[in-house]
Amino acid sequence: MKSKTLFDKLWDKHEVLSLDDGSSVIYIDRHFIHEVTSPQAFAGIEKRGLPFFRPDRAIATMDHNIPTIGQENPVMGAESSLQVARLTENCAKHGITLFGMTHPMNGIVHVIGPELGLTRPGMTIVCGDSHTSTHGAFGTIAFGIGTSEVEMVMASQCLLQRRPKTMRITIDGKLAAGITAKDLILYLISKLGTGAGTGYFIEFAGEAIRTLSMEGRMTICNMAIEMGARGGLVAPDETTFKYLVNREFSPAGMEWDQAVSEWKLLKSDSEAIFDREETFDASEMAPMITWGTNPGAGIPITGTIPDSDPKALSYMGWKGGEKIMDQKIDYVFVGSCTNGRIEDLREFASYVKGHKKADGVTAWIVPGSKKVETQARAEGIEKILNEAGFELREPGCSACLAMNDDKIPAGKYCISTSNRNFEGRQGPGARTLLASPLTAAAAALTGRISDPRRVVIPAEAGTPSHTTNGDE
Amino acid sequence: MSFEPITIITSKVVRLQVDNIDTDRIIPARFLKSVDSSGFGENLFHDWRYQPDGSPNPEFVLNKPEGKGQILLTGKNFGCGSSREHAAWALYQYGFRVIISSGFADIFRTNALNNGLLPLEVDPDTLARLMEIHQADPFAIWTVDLPSQLLTANCQLPTADCRLPTAFEINPFRKQCLITGSDVIDYLAGLKPQIIEFEANHLI
């Protein structure tokens, strides 16, 4: 039998029809819905007189528009309120499970899917959101779609797709202390470029990936789209199964055992041929930070701002040739579907514990979900944050995309654990520096870009509780 | 969203010579709050097109005499970033029907095709040549002939060299959809018998 990549195995398993022109009709196992990219799709099927074909395969949440303080009595503009209300109406009308604001299972769509066990190995998963690639960390084909495609999935549970090419990125070795999954993916994008993945589905492999926690793998797959990839995936293993066991919607009992025995088969054959292969060495990686206006503009934190892009330099208010270290920052944002999970908050808290936020820095620490928020409180993370001068907010997309009230003012510098540093992404004129939660913590304590490995000694002995080595 | 069929587009070209234009640039997130699919054209390229006080930025191409046309000529990796289909709606509603680039982000390409917007991909050398032609004669009239899959330019200035004919590729099914103004949703909804049969043997 022909050797296959994991991607090819999953694709073939979901192919309803293979068409003459090389495209396929692909069946979708899980459809996540949020308030921004769905109203026109619901209206579309209604206009066509089509029923919502498989409401039991859809799950909805609200995350993009909502405030991250005062959710019990939310203050939102009329347009945001209408989008949120429309989602509630549409879900009720079509029988879709909705985790609305303040619901104990509410949160950013790419945080709640995995943490509730709705995301499982072997699935095809879509959502009208480009960061759907996050779910690939579980060995799924997961990708973002536009609203017309959301409508297609509502109408038929299928999509018409060109089969992407396959790429494998292997990272040998282990990440050193102070270097996280976020640094790894920023490093990869800086080396390969923001368009390198166009037309490809990427499998991430190698020791550095295998030793990552699920949270770390999600951070990697989340930003596969920033390389332009259709999606990214990691073959499931014991780390995956351990993460998923006993989650609210995970299979249980005999069904669990059966599922795990099937999931164990989900890997690329040893002889499988990828259309493109890239290999990197984890030992060459340092804490990364972006200086420019696309996610490929990452440099080591000890590095020098290049003078290659005058437009980006002008936007960022920087000169080429300067060191990026010690540049002043105004805002710190920890959160988003990239780094808003419990492990990210643990890392941040362990770093700032016993220290104080720098004067003049505004910090927004935003859990990715209600469960993360609750857990952060239960574990004492909120207490640590408060003592260090930080506040834990309520879940949502927050300052990642300047769609709700959490916007960075024009000209201000924000060190952000999110995924995009495009011009205006965090607000018109806002200047975004992408980095890991640890690097954000170091900057939050000093008010300047700082190397998390050196500048601040954690209050407790030892290194912060990295999750990059997975051998907890 | 329904759209007008595309057959032959004859128009001036708007040149926006920037690589990696992301969908946040095409339309910022704060303009995605509508529950309808109309009214996005006025916010196309908003933060380049308008100054902070809301007045038009005279430096931006859409505010110049050469800024009106049905064809946008732009740099590589157009439409990267967010999956927002509002980007395709904004381009279409402003009046564009064809975007020429040496590469499109995957999700944007699909969104464009689903909304009557032709993503016309050329190789990097050809793109550079097209940029030169436009620079030499910004008011040249270009023709995109979708049925024949040909791109041609007709220069207005006698000194400009517009020799071009460039054939371009497009998936035949998608081409047919654009020419007839139809979309894929009804096609997929029509496959329900096969989909139900598939589901019977698909255990996830």
Side-chain angles (χ1 to χ4, degrees), chain A residues 68-109:
Chain A
T68 58
I69 46 170
Q71 290 186 350
E72 287 293 337
N73 294 296
V75 178
M76 285 186 281
E79 290 176 305
S80 295
S81 297
L82 176 60
Q83 267 192 348
V84 162
R86 187 60 62 86
L87 181 66
T88 309
E89 289 161 27
N90 279 329
C91 288
K93 199 191 299 181
H94 294 280
I96 313 295
T97 301
L98 167 67
F99 302 134
M101 199 166 26
T102 72
H103 189 287
M105 294 183 192
N106 171 259
I108 304 174
V109 59

Side-chain angles (χ1 to χ4, degrees), chain A residues 20-94:
Chain A
D20 291 343
D21 66 359
S23 54
S24 307
V25 175
I26 291 293
Y27 191 79
I28 303 303
D29 296 317
R30 184 78 74 212
H31 183 195
F32 290 110
I33 292 172
H34 66 82
E35 78 276 19
V36 180
T37 57
S38 66
Q40 296 88 350
F42 278 111
I45 56 167
E46 287 171 12
K47 197 173 160 199
R48 287 168 203 261
L50 294 168
F52 198 116
F53 183 53
R54 293 290 181 245
D56 55 330
R57 291 191 178 271
I59 296 282
T61 184
M62 34 188 84
D63 51 9
H64 283 64
N65 267 297
I66 61 176
T68 58
I69 46 170
Q71 290 186 350
E72 287 293 337
N73 294 296
V75 178
M76 285 186 281
E79 290 176 305
S80 295
S81 297
L82 176 60
Q83 267 192 348
V84 162
R86 187 60 62 86
L87 181 66
T88 309
E89 289 161 27
N90 279 329
C91 288
K93 199 191 299 181
H94 294 280

Side-chain angles (χ1 to χ4, degrees), chain A residues 161-178:
Chain A
Q161 291 281 308
R162 293 192 302 181
R163 189 185 195 116
K165 291 179 281 187
T166 55
M167 185 190 313
R168 178 162 59 189
I169 300 181
T170 304
I171 300 113
D172 296 323
K174 281 187 187 179
L175 293 170

